[in-house]
Amino acid sequence: MLESSGSMLVISIDLETSTEASTLTNSPKPSFLTRLESSKAQKLMRFMQPWGVLCSTLILLLILLLLFMESTRRSIELQESEEGRVQTRVAESWRLLTNVARGNSGKISALEYLNGQSIELTGIDLSAGDEESAAWLADIELNGAVITDSNLSGAIMTGADLSGAVLINSNFTGVDLSNADLTGVDLTGANLTGANLSKANLSNANLNRADLIGAQLGGAKLTAANLAEADFSDAFLIAADLSNTDLTLAHLIGAELIGANLTNANFSGTHLIGANLIGAVLNEACGDESTSYPEEFQALPLCDE
């Protein structure tokens, strides 16, 4: 039984194998048309391949162009938005400056912002009617500011930084600028009558034709300043440093110059009648024939000698 069964299994396997071989042998071969169509398809694919790369490149470039245009649009929108914010802030700053209010009232930030935008502050009026309504601008930073033909009379500006500022023909009557930084400032024709400039730094400042009648300049530093034709009548310049200054045609009538440093100062045509020069240092200082001196004061050497 086992052998018979094994013979049947062998016969069955042989029949199956024979059938499969017959099937493979009898399968139809690809026709000529089929081979031709396959060849055309391959040629078409080879032909289209470069065009496909080109189309892909063009699509990529188009996408990049669209992205660039969108980025540019957003950049312009942001710029316009920023410009709008700046214009709004500028308008608000000007509103604060023109608003009559006591003390600071946002004026410090308004002035500093406008100056930071390089906007000239010509013609502003922050004058005070009395001490209570004085503009409080202590420690304000306005270096390089342009504040011409303006009125800041009575303002409190202690410790302010106005270095390099242009303050031509402005009104600083009664202003408190003690300990302020005024180096290189241009105060040509400015009115500083009764101003407090105690211990202020006015080195290299231009005070040509400035009015400082009765001003407080005790301990102030005015080295190498242009003080020609300035009026310091009755001003307090005790222990002030006026070395290397040009005091040509300046008025120092009745001025207190006790202990002041006037080394190498030019007093040509200066009016010193009634000035108090006790203890003043006048090394290398000079004047001319038109210089007027206090009584019993020895004339200075002539500047052209």
Side-chain angles (χ1 to χ4, degrees), residues 153-155 171-177 191-198 211-217 231-236:
S153 58
N171 186 357
F172 290 92
T173 303
V175 168
D176 187 350
L177 281 162
N191 186 354
L192 291 143
T193 301
N196 184 359
L197 292 154
S198 301
D211 190 346
L212 294 108
I213 296 173
Q216 302 283 338
L217 290 129
D231 193 345
F232 289 91
S233 298
D234 298 318
F236 288 81

Side-chain angles (χ1 to χ4, degrees), residues 249-271:
L249 300 174
H251 289 259
L252 289 159
I253 300 171
E256 291 289 342
L257 289 155
I258 299 172
N261 183 2
L262 295 159
T263 301
N264 200 37
N266 187 341
F267 287 96
S268 298
T270 305
H271 301 280

Side-chain angles (χ1 to χ4, degrees), residues 19 57 78 87 104 124 127 146 219 231:
T19 303
T57 304
L78 288 173
Q87 290 175 0
N104 181 349
I124 62 172
S127 57
V146 178
D231 193 345

Side-chain angles (χ1 to χ4, degrees), residues 20-43:
E20 288 176 1
S22 175
T23 302
L24 291 172
T25 304
N26 297 329
S27 61
K29 295 182 179 181
S31 66
F32 172 75
L33 291 175
T34 302
R35 292 196 300 272
L36 180 61
E37 289 175 357
S38 177
S39 175
K40 286 182 177 179
Q42 291 177 2
K43 288 181 179 179

Side-chain angles (χ1 to χ4, degrees), residues 158-240:
T158 55
D161 182 2
L162 289 162
S163 55
V166 180
L167 310 170
I168 298 172
N169 296 325
S170 289
N171 186 357
F172 290 92
T173 303
V175 168
D176 187 350
L177 281 162
S178 55
N179 296 295
D181 185 355
L182 297 163
T183 53
V185 72
D186 190 349
L187 282 159
T188 302
N191 186 354
L192 291 143
T193 301
N196 184 359
L197 292 154
S198 301
K199 297 183 179 181
N201 189 348
L202 289 143
S203 300
N204 298 298
N206 185 359
L207 286 97
N208 180 253
R209 296 181 290 103
D211 190 346
L212 294 108
I213 296 173
Q216 302 283 338
L217 290 129
K221 188 176 182 179
L222 295 98
T223 53
N226 178 10
L227 309 177
E229 300 184 65
D231 193 345
F232 289 91
S233 298
D234 298 318
F236 288 81
L237 292 147
I238 297 173

Side-chain angles (χ1 to χ4, degrees), residues 1-75:
M1 293 293 291
L2 290 172
E3 291 179 0
S4 175
S5 183
S7 299
M8 290 175 66
L9 179 61
V10 170
I11 293 169
S12 175
I13 293 171
D14 289 342
L15 286 172
E16 289 176 1
T17 305
S18 176
T19 303
E20 288 176 1
S22 175
T23 302
L24 291 172
T25 304
N26 297 329
S27 61
K29 295 182 179 181
S31 66
F32 172 75
L33 291 175
T34 302
R35 292 196 300 272
L36 180 61
E37 289 175 357
S38 177
S39 175
K40 286 182 177 179
Q42 291 177 2
K43 288 181 179 179
L44 181 61
M45 289 179 65
R46 286 196 297 270
F47 175 76
M48 291 298 294
Q49 187 174 5
W51 290 100
V53 173
L54 179 61
C55 289
S56 300
T57 304
L58 290 174
I59 291 171
L60 179 60
L61 289 175
L62 180 59
I63 293 172
L64 291 174
L65 178 61
L66 291 174
L67 289 173
F68 174 76
M69 291 174 65
E70 178 64 15
S71 175
T72 303
R73 183 185 66 80
R74 291 185 179 182
S75 178

Side-chain angles (χ1 to χ4, degrees), residues 72-148:
T72 303
R73 183 185 66 80
R74 291 185 179 182
S75 178
I76 292 172
E77 287 180 352
L78 288 173
Q79 184 177 357
E80 289 176 347
S81 177
E82 179 62 25
E83 289 176 355
R85 284 195 293 269
V86 170
Q87 290 175 0
T88 301
R89 181 75 184 277
V90 168
E92 177 63 16
S93 297
W94 279 115
R95 188 191 66 78
L96 287 170
L97 293 180
T98 55
N99 182 36
V100 179
R102 295 183 177 183
N104 181 349
S105 304
K107 290 181 173 60
I108 289 179
S109 59
L111 286 167
E112 289 179 341
Y113 180 78
L114 291 173
N115 184 50
Q117 295 296 318
S118 301
I119 295 174
E120 294 188 4
L121 304 169
T122 302
I124 62 172
D125 187 353
L126 299 178
S127 57
D130 51 52
E131 291 184 3
E132 293 184 357
S133 61
W136 186 270
L137 304 174
D139 299 314
I140 192 169
E141 295 184 7
L142 291 174
N143 51 305
V146 178
I147 313 177
T148 58

